[in-house]
Amino acid sequence: MPPHTHPARPPDSAPPLRLLVADDNPVVRAGLTALLSGRSDTTVVAEATDGREACEAALRHRPDVILLDVRMPGVDGISALPHLVRLAPVMMLTYSHEAETVREALRRGAGGYLVHGEFTTEQLVRAVRDVHEGRPHVTPGAAEALLTELRASAPAHAVSQSSGRLRDFASPTLSQLQSSVGESFRSRFRLSTREAEIMDLIASGMSNQQIAAVCFISEKTVKNHINRIFAKLHTTTRSQATAKWLGVA
């Protein structure tokens, strides 16, 4: 090769992603650090035992991604999350897969939610890179728990959301509303199963990015589904679609 010619830098020569691991379990911390520091594409630059330490370490080390446990003594992961997401993308990495916890983590800005035992080392590294690049990542157990809860609670959620608007209505109207809500999910608006699933998530307050993570699809696909949903519901905004879907419009 002529002396003045320089080969292109290979993709794997990119600097490793710098990670912060926050978990109160020393065995988990040590295991993750050993797994992620012995690679060319990731390295652990700091560890923390609770949310407060995680915030301090994130300010000091400025990691590329924060791996955050949910349940920790002192300041837990959910409480620390709104502060940490201002400093770096956060991926929840935990044994907790209760639907309420998953939903709250996503609402507070987590870019991913991985449950221990549901991924290999390579899948973990891929998820870390995805979250760093703005692509949401949720493991199947967390997604299934969230979707199961949403499907089970949708009619009750609809009635509770509409309670403020029902004060001036007689009880027969409430009965009619409940019937209408039950009918709407699969037949009244003729949504497909996937569209109904996405509409449930819209009604729960999720963003397109969060819906993409839960449904394992791209944000572009989510937008395409939402456009079709709006057309079928004859609406133009999320709030209008939610009101119709919940039977309060």
Side-chain angles (χ1 to χ4, degrees), residues 124-152:
L124 170 60
V125 172
R126 185 162 57 250
V128 167
R129 192 162 293 282
D130 282 346
V131 168
H132 176 252
E133 294 174 0
R135 294 189 297 270
H137 210 106
V138 179
T139 49
E144 183 179 353
L146 182 57
L147 288 171
T148 298
E149 185 203 48
L150 284 170
R151 288 171 183 144

Side-chain angles (χ1 to χ4, degrees), residues 48-124:
T49 62
D50 68 6
R52 186 180 303 280
E53 283 187 14
C55 289
E56 293 170 353
L59 283 168
R60 187 163 55 251
H61 295 278
R62 295 293 176 174
D64 296 309
V65 178
I66 299 168
L67 308 185
L68 183 66
D69 188 21
V70 169
R71 295 193 176 96
M72 295 181 287
V75 179
D76 62 47
I78 298 297
S79 299
L81 191 50
H83 307 285
L84 290 171
V85 295
R86 298 190 185 104
L87 303 174
V90 177
M91 183 170 70
M92 310 307 293
L93 189 58
T94 177
Y95 287 99
S96 306
H97 55 74
E98 294 84 357
E100 182 179 353
T101 304
V102 179
R103 184 175 63 248
E104 192 62 24
L106 294 173
R107 280 181 173 169
R108 292 189 180 207
Y113 198 108
L114 271 62
V115 178
H116 286 295
E118 295 188 352
F119 54 84
T120 65
T121 300
E122 290 304 318
Q123 288 169 336
L124 170 60

Side-chain angles (χ1 to χ4, degrees), residues 176-206:
Q176 291 165 5
L177 170 67
Q178 291 169 323
S179 174
S180 172
V181 167
E183 176 195 4
S184 69
F185 284 89
R186 293 294 181 270
S187 59
R188 182 181 170 192
F189 298 116
R190 301 185 182 280
L191 299 193
S192 68
T193 301
R194 175 62 99 181
E195 289 166 353
E197 182 179 271
I198 289 174
M199 191 59 236
D200 283 341
L201 298 174
I202 292 172
S204 78
M206 284 194 179

Side-chain angles (χ1 to χ4, degrees), residues 18-34 36-37 43-50 53-54 57 63 65-69 72 91 93 116 124 128:
R18 303 171 69 257
L19 310 178
L20 163 62
V21 175
D23 195 302
D24 64 306
N25 186 325
V27 176
V28 172
R29 286 200 316 276
L32 288 171
T33 298
L36 298 170
S37 285
T43 186
V44 176
V45 296
E47 298 179 17
T49 62
D50 68 6
E53 283 187 14
V65 178
I66 299 168
L67 308 185
L68 183 66
D69 188 21
M72 295 181 287
M91 183 170 70
L93 189 58
H116 286 295
L124 170 60
V128 167

